[in-house]
Amino acid sequence: EILLTQSPGTLSLSPGERATLSCRASQSVNSGRLAWYQQKPGQSPRLLMYDASSRATGISDRFSGSGSGTDFALTISRLEPEDFAVYYCQQYGSSPVTFGQGTRLEIK
Amino acid sequence: EVQLVESGGGLIQPGGSLRLSCVASGFTVNSNYMSWVRQAPGKGLEWVSVMYSGGVTYYAGSVKGRFIISRDNSKNTLYLQMNNLRAEDTAVYYCARDVAVNNYYFYMDVWGKGTTVTVSS
């Protein structure tokens, strides 16, 4: 089972700043099969990115994903108030699919 | 509109059983991979089970032998039968539509709002 470790646990930034969230896998993720989800308090997760760098339908181009192998990142170019949430990565290159523990992005 | 609505959660004693339902609209359950994902209070996401469009099923090790995923095509509904429940099964349970990759792997593109299961005496 692939273990995904997200860092930092909490990221404190101000609106307008750039955010970079990391997701590191315990072994290589086949074919860059990594997704990112956003979850706001009291809501269900929402798909942001898939295949490491492809944006899901309706997702702002302020969100971008990168990485391969064991190291992946989600970047939010200019933080808007609605971006402050918890973000999870998920790998689907090996069975079982697994999630990271999440990064909380909070307003500084 | 594509939508998933879960129901069936509640308070149940350890060792008890519960069946969750997930009604889909805007798409057909049996044409898609469908998963259950849970989230314990204050914790992250944990994949629980998947049913492929062809009917093949898989389970996380933590629930294998206790949970059963199924579907009713006539009702366009996915189910999760949960038996021999434990305190550690306490969580919000989400139903999700999966995007299949290479006929085996998947990620989730549509999520329901979830239903809460509390296992406690």
mmCIF file with all atom_site columns, all heavy atoms in Angstrom, chain A residues 33 37 39 44-45 50 88 90 92-93 95 99, chain B residues 39 45 94 101-102 104-108 111-112:
data_model
loop_
_atom_site.group_PDB
_atom_site.id
_atom_site.type_symbol
_atom_site.label_atom_id
_atom_site.label_alt_id
_atom_site.label_comp_id
_atom_site.label_asym_id
_atom_site.label_entity_id
_atom_site.label_seq_id
_atom_site.pdbx_PDB_ins_code
_atom_site.Cartn_x
_atom_site.Cartn_y
_atom_site.Cartn_z
_atom_site.occupancy
_atom_site.B_iso_or_equiv
_atom_site.pdbx_formal_charge
_atom_site.auth_seq_id
_atom_site.auth_comp_id
_atom_site.auth_asym_id
_atom_site.auth_atom_id
_atom_site.pdbx_PDB_model_num
ATOM 1   N N   . ARG A 1 33  ? -0.443  8.949  -11.588 1.00 0.00 ? 33  ARG A N   1
ATOM 2   C CA  . ARG A 1 33  ? -1.864  8.870  -11.283 1.00 0.00 ? 33  ARG A CA  1
ATOM 3   C C   . ARG A 1 33  ? -2.145  9.415  -9.892  1.00 0.00 ? 33  ARG A C   1
ATOM 4   O O   . ARG A 1 33  ? -2.287  8.678  -8.913  1.00 0.00 ? 33  ARG A O   1
ATOM 5   C CB  . ARG A 1 33  ? -2.363  7.437  -11.437 1.00 0.00 ? 33  ARG A CB  1
ATOM 6   C CG  . ARG A 1 33  ? -2.376  6.992  -12.888 1.00 0.00 ? 33  ARG A CG  1
ATOM 7   C CD  . ARG A 1 33  ? -2.766  5.560  -13.053 1.00 0.00 ? 33  ARG A CD  1
ATOM 8   N NE  . ARG A 1 33  ? -2.673  5.154  -14.458 1.00 0.00 ? 33  ARG A NE  1
ATOM 9   C CZ  . ARG A 1 33  ? -2.411  3.942  -14.865 1.00 0.00 ? 33  ARG A CZ  1
ATOM 10  N NH1 . ARG A 1 33  ? -2.228  2.968  -13.976 1.00 0.00 ? 33  ARG A NH1 1
ATOM 11  N NH2 . ARG A 1 33  ? -2.346  3.665  -16.147 1.00 0.00 ? 33  ARG A NH2 1
ATOM 12  N N   . TYR A 1 37  ? -7.982  16.935 -4.079  1.00 0.00 ? 37  TYR A N   1
ATOM 13  C CA  . TYR A 1 37  ? -9.347  17.293 -3.701  1.00 0.00 ? 37  TYR A CA  1
ATOM 14  C C   . TYR A 1 37  ? -9.304  18.455 -2.713  1.00 0.00 ? 37  TYR A C   1
ATOM 15  O O   . TYR A 1 37  ? -8.375  18.583 -1.924  1.00 0.00 ? 37  TYR A O   1
ATOM 16  C CB  . TYR A 1 37  ? -10.066 16.113 -3.036  1.00 0.00 ? 37  TYR A CB  1
ATOM 17  C CG  . TYR A 1 37  ? -10.155 14.879 -3.892  1.00 0.00 ? 37  TYR A CG  1
ATOM 18  C CD1 . TYR A 1 37  ? -9.136  13.933 -3.886  1.00 0.00 ? 37  TYR A CD1 1
ATOM 19  C CD2 . TYR A 1 37  ? -11.249 14.647 -4.721  1.00 0.00 ? 37  TYR A CD2 1
ATOM 20  C CE1 . TYR A 1 37  ? -9.192  12.807 -4.672  1.00 0.00 ? 37  TYR A CE1 1
ATOM 21  C CE2 . TYR A 1 37  ? -11.321 13.506 -5.514  1.00 0.00 ? 37  TYR A CE2 1
ATOM 22  C CZ  . TYR A 1 37  ? -10.295 12.598 -5.483  1.00 0.00 ? 37  TYR A CZ  1
ATOM 23  O OH  . TYR A 1 37  ? -10.353 11.479 -6.270  1.00 0.00 ? 37  TYR A OH  1
ATOM 24  N N   . GLN A 1 39  ? -11.648 20.238 0.338   1.00 0.00 ? 39  GLN A N   1
ATOM 25  C CA  . GLN A 1 39  ? -12.794 20.030 1.216   1.00 0.00 ? 39  GLN A CA  1
ATOM 26  C C   . GLN A 1 39  ? -12.941 21.226 2.145   1.00 0.00 ? 39  GLN A C   1
ATOM 27  O O   . GLN A 1 39  ? -12.034 21.548 2.911   1.00 0.00 ? 39  GLN A O   1
ATOM 28  C CB  . GLN A 1 39  ? -12.664 18.749 2.041   1.00 0.00 ? 39  GLN A CB  1
ATOM 29  C CG  . GLN A 1 39  ? -13.920 18.429 2.844   1.00 0.00 ? 39  GLN A CG  1
ATOM 30  C CD  . GLN A 1 39  ? -13.817 17.130 3.616   1.00 0.00 ? 39  GLN A CD  1
ATOM 31  O OE1 . GLN A 1 39  ? -12.755 16.752 4.091   1.00 0.00 ? 39  GLN A OE1 1
ATOM 32  N NE2 . GLN A 1 39  ? -14.944 16.424 3.751   1.00 0.00 ? 39  GLN A NE2 1
ATOM 33  N N   . SER A 1 44  ? -18.571 18.025 1.328   1.00 0.00 ? 44  SER A N   1
ATOM 34  C CA  . SER A 1 44  ? -17.894 16.847 0.799   1.00 0.00 ? 44  SER A CA  1
ATOM 35  C C   . SER A 1 44  ? -16.694 17.291 -0.037  1.00 0.00 ? 44  SER A C   1
ATOM 36  O O   . SER A 1 44  ? -16.605 18.452 -0.450  1.00 0.00 ? 44  SER A O   1
ATOM 37  C CB  . SER A 1 44  ? -18.868 16.010 -0.043  1.00 0.00 ? 44  SER A CB  1
ATOM 38  O OG  . SER A 1 44  ? -19.498 16.807 -1.016  1.00 0.00 ? 44  SER A OG  1
ATOM 39  N N   . PRO A 1 45  ? -15.756 16.396 -0.274  1.00 0.00 ? 45  PRO A N   1
ATOM 40  C CA  . PRO A 1 45  ? -14.590 16.747 -1.100  1.00 0.00 ? 45  PRO A CA  1
ATOM 41  C C   . PRO A 1 45  ? -15.007 17.088 -2.531  1.00 0.00 ? 45  PRO A C   1
ATOM 42  O O   . PRO A 1 45  ? -16.037 16.615 -3.017  1.00 0.00 ? 45  PRO A O   1
ATOM 43  C CB  . PRO A 1 45  ? -13.743 15.469 -1.064  1.00 0.00 ? 45  PRO A CB  1
ATOM 44  C CG  . PRO A 1 45  ? -14.181 14.753 0.172   1.00 0.00 ? 45  PRO A CG  1
ATOM 45  C CD  . PRO A 1 45  ? -15.643 15.048 0.294   1.00 0.00 ? 45  PRO A CD  1
ATOM 46  N N   . TYR A 1 50  ? -6.481  15.815 -11.624 1.00 0.00 ? 50  TYR A N   1
ATOM 47  C CA  . TYR A 1 50  ? -6.252  14.402 -11.823 1.00 0.00 ? 50  TYR A CA  1
ATOM 48  C C   . TYR A 1 50  ? -5.058  14.234 -12.758 1.00 0.00 ? 50  TYR A C   1
ATOM 49  O O   . TYR A 1 50  ? -4.635  15.201 -13.403 1.00 0.00 ? 50  TYR A O   1
ATOM 50  C CB  . TYR A 1 50  ? -7.502  13.696 -12.376 1.00 0.00 ? 50  TYR A CB  1
ATOM 51  C CG  . TYR A 1 50  ? -7.936  14.210 -13.732 1.00 0.00 ? 50  TYR A CG  1
ATOM 52  C CD1 . TYR A 1 50  ? -7.523  13.572 -14.893 1.00 0.00 ? 50  TYR A CD1 1
ATOM 53  C CD2 . TYR A 1 50  ? -8.744  15.341 -13.845 1.00 0.00 ? 50  TYR A CD2 1
ATOM 54  C CE1 . TYR A 1 50  ? -7.893  14.045 -16.131 1.00 0.00 ? 50  TYR A CE1 1
ATOM 55  C CE2 . TYR A 1 50  ? -9.130  15.814 -15.083 1.00 0.00 ? 50  TYR A CE2 1
ATOM 56  C CZ  . TYR A 1 50  ? -8.703  15.179 -16.221 1.00 0.00 ? 50  TYR A CZ  1
ATOM 57  O OH  . TYR A 1 50  ? -9.079  15.655 -17.441 1.00 0.00 ? 50  TYR A OH  1
ATOM 58  N N   . TYR A 1 88  ? -6.537  17.345 -0.042  1.00 0.00 ? 88  TYR A N   1
ATOM 59  C CA  . TYR A 1 88  ? -6.075  15.957 0.036   1.00 0.00 ? 88  TYR A CA  1
ATOM 60  C C   . TYR A 1 88  ? -5.537  15.517 -1.323  1.00 0.00 ? 88  TYR A C   1
ATOM 61  O O   . TYR A 1 88  ? -6.117  15.855 -2.363  1.00 0.00 ? 88  TYR A O   1
ATOM 62  C CB  . TYR A 1 88  ? -7.228  15.013 0.410   1.00 0.00 ? 88  TYR A CB  1
ATOM 63  C CG  . TYR A 1 88  ? -7.801  15.229 1.781   1.00 0.00 ? 88  TYR A CG  1
ATOM 64  C CD1 . TYR A 1 88  ? -8.923  16.019 1.967   1.00 0.00 ? 88  TYR A CD1 1
ATOM 65  C CD2 . TYR A 1 88  ? -7.220  14.617 2.893   1.00 0.00 ? 88  TYR A CD2 1
ATOM 66  C CE1 . TYR A 1 88  ? -9.460  16.213 3.229   1.00 0.00 ? 88  TYR A CE1 1
ATOM 67  C CE2 . TYR A 1 88  ? -7.752  14.808 4.166   1.00 0.00 ? 88  TYR A CE2 1
ATOM 68  C CZ  . TYR A 1 88  ? -8.868  15.612 4.321   1.00 0.00 ? 88  TYR A CZ  1
ATOM 69  O OH  . TYR A 1 88  ? -9.392  15.808 5.580   1.00 0.00 ? 88  TYR A OH  1
ATOM 70  N N   . GLN A 1 90  ? -4.557  11.994 -3.562  1.00 0.00 ? 90  GLN A N   1
ATOM 71  C CA  . GLN A 1 90  ? -4.967  10.583 -3.659  1.00 0.00 ? 90  GLN A CA  1
ATOM 72  C C   . GLN A 1 90  ? -4.208  9.940  -4.802  1.00 0.00 ? 90  GLN A C   1
ATOM 73  O O   . GLN A 1 90  ? -4.159  10.500 -5.907  1.00 0.00 ? 90  GLN A O   1
ATOM 74  C CB  . GLN A 1 90  ? -6.471  10.457 -3.924  1.00 0.00 ? 90  GLN A CB  1
ATOM 75  C CG  . GLN A 1 90  ? -6.954  9.023  -4.102  1.00 0.00 ? 90  GLN A CG  1
ATOM 76  C CD  . GLN A 1 90  ? -7.863  8.828  -5.296  1.00 0.00 ? 90  GLN A CD  1
ATOM 77  O OE1 . GLN A 1 90  ? -8.473  9.772  -5.809  1.00 0.00 ? 90  GLN A OE1 1
ATOM 78  N NE2 . GLN A 1 90  ? -7.990  7.587  -5.765  1.00 0.00 ? 90  GLN A NE2 1
ATOM 79  N N   . TYR A 1 92  ? -3.903  6.744  -7.456  1.00 0.00 ? 92  TYR A N   1
ATOM 80  C CA  . TYR A 1 92  ? -4.696  5.665  -8.050  1.00 0.00 ? 92  TYR A CA  1
ATOM 81  C C   . TYR A 1 92  ? -3.851  4.906  -9.067  1.00 0.00 ? 92  TYR A C   1
ATOM 82  O O   . TYR A 1 92  ? -4.364  4.394  -10.064 1.00 0.00 ? 92  TYR A O   1
ATOM 83  C CB  . TYR A 1 92  ? -5.990  6.195  -8.670  1.00 0.00 ? 92  TYR A CB  1
ATOM 84  C CG  . TYR A 1 92  ? -5.834  7.370  -9.613  1.00 0.00 ? 92  TYR A CG  1
ATOM 85  C CD1 . TYR A 1 92  ? -5.817  7.195  -10.992 1.00 0.00 ? 92  TYR A CD1 1
ATOM 86  C CD2 . TYR A 1 92  ? -5.716  8.661  -9.121  1.00 0.00 ? 92  TYR A CD2 1
ATOM 87  C CE1 . TYR A 1 92  ? -5.674  8.265  -11.853 1.00 0.00 ? 92  TYR A CE1 1
ATOM 88  C CE2 . TYR A 1 92  ? -5.568  9.745  -9.976  1.00 0.00 ? 92  TYR A CE2 1
ATOM 89  C CZ  . TYR A 1 92  ? -5.551  9.541  -11.338 1.00 0.00 ? 92  TYR A CZ  1
ATOM 90  O OH  . TYR A 1 92  ? -5.409  10.612 -12.185 1.00 0.00 ? 92  TYR A OH  1
ATOM 91  N N   . GLY A 1 93  ? -2.571  4.824  -8.756  1.00 0.00 ? 93  GLY A N   1
ATOM 92  C CA  . GLY A 1 93  ? -1.663  4.070  -9.610  1.00 0.00 ? 93  GLY A CA  1
ATOM 93  C C   . GLY A 1 93  ? -1.416  2.667  -9.113  1.00 0.00 ? 93  GLY A C   1
ATOM 94  O O   . GLY A 1 93  ? -0.891  1.819  -9.847  1.00 0.00 ? 93  GLY A O   1
ATOM 95  N N   . SER A 1 95  ? -3.039  -0.485 -6.200  1.00 0.00 ? 95  SER A N   1
ATOM 96  C CA  . SER A 1 95  ? -4.157  -0.900 -5.363  1.00 0.00 ? 95  SER A CA  1
ATOM 97  C C   . SER A 1 95  ? -3.669  -1.236 -3.959  1.00 0.00 ? 95  SER A C   1
ATOM 98  O O   . SER A 1 95  ? -2.649  -1.903 -3.815  1.00 0.00 ? 95  SER A O   1
ATOM 99  C CB  . SER A 1 95  ? -4.829  -2.120 -5.998  1.00 0.00 ? 95  SER A CB  1
ATOM 100 O OG  . SER A 1 95  ? -5.942  -2.539 -5.232  1.00 0.00 ? 95  SER A OG  1
ATOM 101 N N   . PHE A 1 99  ? -5.212  7.914  0.242   1.00 0.00 ? 99  PHE A N   1
ATOM 102 C CA  . PHE A 1 99  ? -5.249  9.364  0.388   1.00 0.00 ? 99  PHE A CA  1
ATOM 103 C C   . PHE A 1 99  ? -4.139  9.821  1.325   1.00 0.00 ? 99  PHE A C   1
ATOM 104 O O   . PHE A 1 99  ? -3.734  9.091  2.232   1.00 0.00 ? 99  PHE A O   1
ATOM 105 C CB  . PHE A 1 99  ? -6.582  9.821  1.001   1.00 0.00 ? 99  PHE A CB  1
ATOM 106 C CG  . PHE A 1 99  ? -7.778  9.642  0.114   1.00 0.00 ? 99  PHE A CG  1
ATOM 107 C CD1 . PHE A 1 99  ? -8.503  8.460  0.126   1.00 0.00 ? 99  PHE A CD1 1
ATOM 108 C CD2 . PHE A 1 99  ? -8.201  10.661 -0.725  1.00 0.00 ? 99  PHE A CD2 1
ATOM 109 C CE1 . PHE A 1 99  ? -9.625  8.292  -0.679  1.00 0.00 ? 99  PHE A CE1 1
ATOM 110 C CE2 . PHE A 1 99  ? -9.316  10.521 -1.528  1.00 0.00 ? 99  PHE A CE2 1
ATOM 111 C CZ  . PHE A 1 99  ? -10.029 9.327  -1.507  1.00 0.00 ? 99  PHE A CZ  1
ATOM 112 N N   . GLN B 2 39  ? -14.865 9.179  6.422   1.00 0.00 ? 39  GLN B N   1
ATOM 113 C CA  . GLN B 2 39  ? -14.041 10.176 7.090   1.00 0.00 ? 39  GLN B CA  1
ATOM 114 C C   . GLN B 2 39  ? -14.407 10.186 8.564   1.00 0.00 ? 39  GLN B C   1
ATOM 115 O O   . GLN B 2 39  ? -15.496 10.628 8.944   1.00 0.00 ? 39  GLN B O   1
ATOM 116 C CB  . GLN B 2 39  ? -14.266 11.557 6.473   1.00 0.00 ? 39  GLN B CB  1
ATOM 117 C CG  . GLN B 2 39  ? -13.368 12.646 6.996   1.00 0.00 ? 39  GLN B CG  1
ATOM 118 C CD  . GLN B 2 39  ? -13.467 13.923 6.175   1.00 0.00 ? 39  GLN B CD  1
ATOM 119 O OE1 . GLN B 2 39  ? -14.525 14.289 5.670   1.00 0.00 ? 39  GLN B OE1 1
ATOM 120 N NE2 . GLN B 2 39  ? -12.337 14.623 6.016   1.00 0.00 ? 39  GLN B NE2 1
ATOM 121 N N   . LEU B 2 45  ? -9.542  11.255 4.691   1.00 0.00 ? 45  LEU B N   1
ATOM 122 C CA  . LEU B 2 45  ? -10.381 10.386 3.884   1.00 0.00 ? 45  LEU B CA  1
ATOM 123 C C   . LEU B 2 45  ? -9.810  8.983  3.815   1.00 0.00 ? 45  LEU B C   1
ATOM 124 O O   . LEU B 2 45  ? -8.597  8.795  3.721   1.00 0.00 ? 45  LEU B O   1
ATOM 125 C CB  . LEU B 2 45  ? -10.491 10.971 2.470   1.00 0.00 ? 45  LEU B CB  1
ATOM 126 C CG  . LEU B 2 45  ? -11.048 12.398 2.386   1.00 0.00 ? 45  LEU B CG  1
ATOM 127 C CD1 . LEU B 2 45  ? -10.862 12.957 0.974   1.00 0.00 ? 45  LEU B CD1 1
ATOM 128 C CD2 . LEU B 2 45  ? -12.503 12.423 2.789   1.00 0.00 ? 45  LEU B CD2 1
ATOM 129 N N   . TYR B 2 94  ? -19.233 8.697  2.547   1.00 0.00 ? 94  TYR B N   1
ATOM 130 C CA  . TYR B 2 94  ? -19.537 9.336  1.273   1.00 0.00 ? 94  TYR B CA  1
ATOM 131 C C   . TYR B 2 94  ? -19.647 8.286  0.177   1.00 0.00 ? 94  TYR B C   1
ATOM 132 O O   . TYR B 2 94  ? -18.844 7.353  0.099   1.00 0.00 ? 94  TYR B O   1
ATOM 133 C CB  . TYR B 2 94  ? -18.431 10.306 0.868   1.00 0.00 ? 94  TYR B CB  1
ATOM 134 C CG  . TYR B 2 94  ? -18.236 11.489 1.789   1.00 0.00 ? 94  TYR B CG  1
ATOM 135 C CD1 . TYR B 2 94  ? -17.190 11.534 2.690   1.00 0.00 ? 94  TYR B CD1 1
ATOM 136 C CD2 . TYR B 2 94  ? -19.102 12.585 1.721   1.00 0.00 ? 94  TYR B CD2 1
ATOM 137 C CE1 . TYR B 2 94  ? -16.993 12.628 3.520   1.00 0.00 ? 94  TYR B CE1 1
ATOM 138 C CE2 . TYR B 2 94  ? -18.916 13.685 2.553   1.00 0.00 ? 94  TYR B CE2 1
ATOM 139 C CZ  . TYR B 2 94  ? -17.866 13.694 3.449   1.00 0.00 ? 94  TYR B CZ  1
ATOM 140 O OH  . TYR B 2 94  ? -17.678 14.781 4.266   1.00 0.00 ? 94  TYR B OH  1
ATOM 141 N N   . VAL B 2 101 ? -9.618  4.192  -14.682 1.00 0.00 ? 101 VAL B N   1
ATOM 142 C CA  . VAL B 2 101 ? -8.356  4.339  -15.401 1.00 0.00 ? 101 VAL B CA  1
ATOM 143 C C   . VAL B 2 101 ? -7.811  2.954  -15.691 1.00 0.00 ? 101 VAL B C   1
ATOM 144 O O   . VAL B 2 101 ? -7.618  2.158  -14.763 1.00 0.00 ? 101 VAL B O   1
ATOM 145 C CB  . VAL B 2 101 ? -7.343  5.148  -14.565 1.00 0.00 ? 101 VAL B CB  1
ATOM 146 C CG1 . VAL B 2 101 ? -5.995  5.218  -15.280 1.00 0.00 ? 101 VAL B CG1 1
ATOM 147 C CG2 . VAL B 2 101 ? -7.881  6.530  -14.250 1.00 0.00 ? 101 VAL B CG2 1
ATOM 148 N N   . ASN B 2 102 ? -7.603  2.651  -16.948 1.00 0.00 ? 102 ASN B N   1
ATOM 149 C CA  . ASN B 2 102 ? -7.057  1.348  -17.339 1.00 0.00 ? 102 ASN B CA  1
ATOM 150 C C   . ASN B 2 102 ? -7.880  0.183  -16.797 1.00 0.00 ? 102 ASN B C   1
ATOM 151 O O   . ASN B 2 102 ? -7.327  -0.857 -16.445 1.00 0.00 ? 102 ASN B O   1
ATOM 152 C CB  . ASN B 2 102 ? -5.606  1.200  -16.877 1.00 0.00 ? 102 ASN B CB  1
ATOM 153 C CG  . ASN B 2 102 ? -4.642  1.895  -17.806 1.00 0.00 ? 102 ASN B CG  1
ATOM 154 O OD1 . ASN B 2 102 ? -5.046  2.616  -18.718 1.00 0.00 ? 102 ASN B OD1 1
ATOM 155 N ND2 . ASN B 2 102 ? -3.363  1.686  -17.589 1.00 0.00 ? 102 ASN B ND2 1
ATOM 156 N N   . TYR B 2 104 ? -9.059  -0.535 -14.079 1.00 0.00 ? 104 TYR B N   1
ATOM 157 C CA  . TYR B 2 104 ? -8.766  -1.072 -12.755 1.00 0.00 ? 104 TYR B CA  1
ATOM 158 C C   . TYR B 2 104 ? -8.690  0.030  -11.701 1.00 0.00 ? 104 TYR B C   1
ATOM 159 O O   . TYR B 2 104 ? -9.294  -0.086 -10.643 1.00 0.00 ? 104 TYR B O   1
ATOM 160 C CB  . TYR B 2 104 ? -7.449  -1.844 -12.807 1.00 0.00 ? 104 TYR B CB  1
ATOM 161 C CG  . TYR B 2 104 ? -7.122  -2.580 -11.531 1.00 0.00 ? 104 TYR B CG  1
ATOM 162 C CD1 . TYR B 2 104 ? -7.963  -3.573 -11.040 1.00 0.00 ? 104 TYR B CD1 1
ATOM 163 C CD2 . TYR B 2 104 ? -5.964  -2.293 -10.829 1.00 0.00 ? 104 TYR B CD2 1
ATOM 164 C CE1 . TYR B 2 104 ? -7.659  -4.257 -9.871  1.00 0.00 ? 104 TYR B CE1 1
ATOM 165 C CE2 . TYR B 2 104 ? -5.654  -2.964 -9.665  1.00 0.00 ? 104 TYR B CE2 1
ATOM 166 C CZ  . TYR B 2 104 ? -6.498  -3.953 -9.189  1.00 0.00 ? 104 TYR B CZ  1
ATOM 167 O OH  . TYR B 2 104 ? -6.200  -4.622 -8.026  1.00 0.00 ? 104 TYR B OH  1
ATOM 168 N N   . TYR B 2 105 ? -7.963  1.070  -11.992 1.00 0.00 ? 105 TYR B N   1
ATOM 169 C CA  . TYR B 2 105 ? -7.760  2.130  -11.008 1.00 0.00 ? 105 TYR B CA  1
ATOM 170 C C   . TYR B 2 105 ? -8.813  3.218  -11.197 1.00 0.00 ? 105 TYR B C   1
ATOM 171 O O   . TYR B 2 105 ? -9.515  3.259  -12.200 1.00 0.00 ? 105 TYR B O   1
ATOM 172 C CB  . TYR B 2 105 ? -6.352  2.702  -11.139 1.00 0.00 ? 105 TYR B CB  1
ATOM 173 C CG  . TYR B 2 105 ? -5.292  1.625  -10.992 1.00 0.00 ? 105 TYR B CG  1
ATOM 174 C CD1 . TYR B 2 105 ? -4.580  1.183  -12.095 1.00 0.00 ? 105 TYR B CD1 1
ATOM 175 C CD2 . TYR B 2 105 ? -5.056  1.045  -9.758  1.00 0.00 ? 105 TYR B CD2 1
ATOM 176 C CE1 . TYR B 2 105 ? -3.627  0.189  -11.965 1.00 0.00 ? 105 TYR B CE1 1
ATOM 177 C CE2 . TYR B 2 105 ? -4.103  0.049  -9.619  1.00 0.00 ? 105 TYR B CE2 1
ATOM 178 C CZ  . TYR B 2 105 ? -3.402  -0.375 -10.721 1.00 0.00 ? 105 TYR B CZ  1
ATOM 179 O OH  . TYR B 2 105 ? -2.466  -1.367 -10.589 1.00 0.00 ? 105 TYR B OH  1
ATOM 180 N N   . PHE B 2 106 ? -8.918  4.127  -10.217 1.00 0.00 ? 106 PHE B N   1
ATOM 181 C CA  . PHE B 2 106 ? -9.994  5.099  -10.272 1.00 0.00 ? 106 PHE B CA  1
ATOM 182 C C   . PHE B 2 106 ? -9.730  6.269  -9.329  1.00 0.00 ? 106 PHE B C   1
ATOM 183 O O   . PHE B 2 106 ? -9.008  6.141  -8.333  1.00 0.00 ? 106 PHE B O   1
ATOM 184 C CB  . PHE B 2 106 ? -11.329 4.437  -9.899  1.00 0.00 ? 106 PHE B CB  1
ATOM 185 C CG  . PHE B 2 106 ? -11.252 3.668  -8.595  1.00 0.00 ? 106 PHE B CG  1
ATOM 186 C CD1 . PHE B 2 106 ? -11.566 4.272  -7.390  1.00 0.00 ? 106 PHE B CD1 1
ATOM 187 C CD2 . PHE B 2 106 ? -10.840 2.350  -8.591  1.00 0.00 ? 106 PHE B CD2 1
ATOM 188 C CE1 . PHE B 2 106 ? -11.460 3.575  -6.197  1.00 0.00 ? 106 PHE B CE1 1
ATOM 189 C CE2 . PHE B 2 106 ? -10.734 1.634  -7.398  1.00 0.00 ? 106 PHE B CE2 1
ATOM 190 C CZ  . PHE B 2 106 ? -11.045 2.257  -6.204  1.00 0.00 ? 106 PHE B CZ  1
ATOM 191 N N   . TYR B 2 107 ? -10.338 7.401  -9.700  1.00 0.00 ? 107 TYR B N   1
ATOM 192 C CA  . TYR B 2 107 ? -10.419 8.528  -8.774  1.00 0.00 ? 107 TYR B CA  1
ATOM 193 C C   . TYR B 2 107 ? -11.868 8.991  -8.791  1.00 0.00 ? 107 TYR B C   1
ATOM 194 O O   . TYR B 2 107 ? -12.665 8.551  -9.597  1.00 0.00 ? 107 TYR B O   1
ATOM 195 C CB  . TYR B 2 107 ? -9.446  9.649  -9.153  1.00 0.00 ? 107 TYR B CB  1
ATOM 196 C CG  . TYR B 2 107 ? -9.618  10.224 -10.536 1.00 0.00 ? 107 TYR B CG  1
ATOM 197 C CD1 . TYR B 2 107 ? -10.446 11.306 -10.774 1.00 0.00 ? 107 TYR B CD1 1
ATOM 198 C CD2 . TYR B 2 107 ? -8.937  9.665  -11.626 1.00 0.00 ? 107 TYR B CD2 1
ATOM 199 C CE1 . TYR B 2 107 ? -10.609 11.825 -12.048 1.00 0.00 ? 107 TYR B CE1 1
ATOM 200 C CE2 . TYR B 2 107 ? -9.084  10.190 -12.904 1.00 0.00 ? 107 TYR B CE2 1
ATOM 201 C CZ  . TYR B 2 107 ? -9.927  11.269 -13.105 1.00 0.00 ? 107 TYR B CZ  1
ATOM 202 O OH  . TYR B 2 107 ? -10.081 11.784 -14.369 1.00 0.00 ? 107 TYR B OH  1
ATOM 203 N N   . MET B 2 108 ? -12.222 9.895  -7.844  1.00 0.00 ? 108 MET B N   1
ATOM 204 C CA  . MET B 2 108 ? -13.615 10.235 -7.621  1.00 0.00 ? 108 MET B CA  1
ATOM 205 C C   . MET B 2 108 ? -13.942 11.610 -8.182  1.00 0.00 ? 108 MET B C   1
ATOM 206 O O   . MET B 2 108 ? -13.332 12.597 -7.764  1.00 0.00 ? 108 MET B O   1
ATOM 207 C CB  . MET B 2 108 ? -13.927 10.213 -6.111  1.00 0.00 ? 108 MET B CB  1
ATOM 208 C CG  . MET B 2 108 ? -13.741 8.864  -5.453  1.00 0.00 ? 108 MET B CG  1
ATOM 209 S SD  . MET B 2 108 ? -11.974 8.595  -5.018  1.00 0.00 ? 108 MET B SD  1
ATOM 210 C CE  . MET B 2 108 ? -12.038 6.932  -4.368  1.00 0.00 ? 108 MET B CE  1
ATOM 211 N N   . TRP B 2 111 ? -19.187 13.506 -5.668  1.00 0.00 ? 111 TRP B N   1
ATOM 212 C CA  . TRP B 2 111 ? -19.355 13.048 -4.295  1.00 0.00 ? 111 TRP B CA  1
ATOM 213 C C   . TRP B 2 111 ? -20.735 13.435 -3.774  1.00 0.00 ? 111 TRP B C   1
ATOM 214 O O   . TRP B 2 111 ? -21.265 14.499 -4.109  1.00 0.00 ? 111 TRP B O   1
ATOM 215 C CB  . TRP B 2 111 ? -18.319 13.706 -3.380  1.00 0.00 ? 111 TRP B CB  1
ATOM 216 C CG  . TRP B 2 111 ? -16.893 13.378 -3.670  1.00 0.00 ? 111 TRP B CG  1
ATOM 217 C CD1 . TRP B 2 111 ? -16.159 13.740 -4.780  1.00 0.00 ? 111 TRP B CD1 1
ATOM 218 C CD2 . TRP B 2 111 ? -16.005 12.642 -2.843  1.00 0.00 ? 111 TRP B CD2 1
ATOM 219 N NE1 . TRP B 2 111 ? -14.881 13.264 -4.676  1.00 0.00 ? 111 TRP B NE1 1
ATOM 220 C CE2 . TRP B 2 111 ? -14.754 12.595 -3.498  1.00 0.00 ? 111 TRP B CE2 1
ATOM 221 C CE3 . TRP B 2 111 ? -16.123 12.014 -1.597  1.00 0.00 ? 111 TRP B CE3 1
ATOM 222 C CZ2 . TRP B 2 111 ? -13.642 11.929 -2.949  1.00 0.00 ? 111 TRP B CZ2 1
ATOM 223 C CZ3 . TRP B 2 111 ? -15.018 11.371 -1.058  1.00 0.00 ? 111 TRP B CZ3 1
ATOM 224 C CH2 . TRP B 2 111 ? -13.788 11.336 -1.727  1.00 0.00 ? 111 TRP B CH2 1
ATOM 225 N N   . GLY B 2 112 ? -21.285 12.571 -2.942  1.00 0.00 ? 112 GLY B N   1
ATOM 226 C CA  . GLY B 2 112 ? -22.492 12.930 -2.225  1.00 0.00 ? 112 GLY B CA  1
ATOM 227 C C   . GLY B 2 112 ? -22.157 13.760 -1.004  1.00 0.00 ? 112 GLY B C   1
ATOM 228 O O   . GLY B 2 112 ? -20.978 14.034 -0.727  1.00 0.00 ? 112 GLY B O   1
#
